[in-house]
Amino acid sequence: MTKWRKAIWDILKNSKKPLCAEEIYKINGFKPNLSTIYRALNYLEKKNIISSVSFENSTKYFFPKERHIHFLYCIKCGNIEVFNECTAKEIKMKIEKQFDYQILDHVFYFKGICKKCREEE
Ligand SMILES: [Zn+2]
Ligand SMILES: [Zn+2]
C-alpha cells in the first residue's frame, strides 16, 4: 500500500463513525490533496478493504469492510450514529428461498431526527 492509502486505512480503522473524503481531508495534520484521498478511497473500496454507504445525497461515507455496522442518519444535521445489532440474517434465508437468490451483503440504515435536533425545535 502506498503511504496515503495506508494512512487513510488507519484513519478509518480508528474512527468509530464512517467518514467521507472531506472529513478525512479536514483531519489535522493530514495533508494529501482531496483528489489523492478520493483515489485512495476508490482503490481501497475496489480491493474490498473498505465499504461505503450514502444517505440523502451522493456523498459516500467509508468504513472498514471487516466491521459489520448499521447506521442512524439524522435528516436535519446529517449526523451519523453506528450500531451493531443485525436482524438481517433472519430475513436473508427467507428472501434467498423466495427469489432463488444468493445474498452476499446488505446495507441498513434508519433515517430520523437526532436528540440534539429535536431539542432545538
Ligand atoms: Zn440531528
Ligand atoms: Zn447487518
Side-chain angles (χ1 to χ4, degrees), residues 68-70 84-88 106 108:
H68 187 77
I69 50 177
H70 309 90
N84 295 106
E85 287 88 345
C86 184
T87 54
H106 63 268
F108 184 89

Side-chain angles (χ1 to χ4, degrees), residues 16 22 26 33 36 63 68 76 82 109 114:
K16 285 198 182 89
E22 268 96 33
K26 281 178 196 151
N33 61 37
T36 303
F63 56 96
H68 187 77
K76 294 231 158 159
V82 169
Y109 68 87
C114 73

Side-chain angles (χ1 to χ4, degrees), residues 11-73:
I11 287 171
L12 291 175
K13 249 191 338 198
N14 291 321
S15 172
K16 285 198 182 89
K17 293 180 183 192
L19 299 172
C20 68
E22 268 96 33
E23 287 170 328
I24 293 170
Y25 183 66
K26 281 178 196 151
I27 287 171
N28 278 343
F30 191 58
K31 289 284 163 264
N33 61 37
L34 203 49
S35 65
T36 303
I37 295 176
Y38 277 114
R39 272 202 308 275
L41 288 168
N42 278 337
Y43 176 87
L44 292 171
E45 190 171 30
K46 243 187 230 143
K47 292 281 172 194
N48 269 322
I49 296 166
I50 60 174
S51 292
S52 67
V53 60
S54 45
F55 303 98
E56 299 284 84
N57 50 41
S58 58
T59 305
K60 284 168 118 186
Y61 293 86
F62 297 88
F63 56 96
K65 181 117 189 162
E66 65 198 15
R67 214 176 277 168
H68 187 77
I69 50 177
H70 309 90
F71 313 93
L72 291 171
Y73 177 76

Side-chain angles (χ1 to χ4, degrees), residues 70 85-103 105-108 110:
H70 309 90
E85 287 88 345
C86 184
T87 54
K89 274 182 216 131
E90 293 155 31
I91 313 162
K92 184 176 173 271
M93 270 167 47
K94 186 173 156 260
I95 299 294
E96 280 185 326
K97 221 176 237 170
Q98 191 181 330
F99 290 85
D100 191 10
Y101 209 92
Q102 186 193 7
I103 293 172
D105 201 5
H106 63 268
V107 178
F108 184 89
F110 285 117

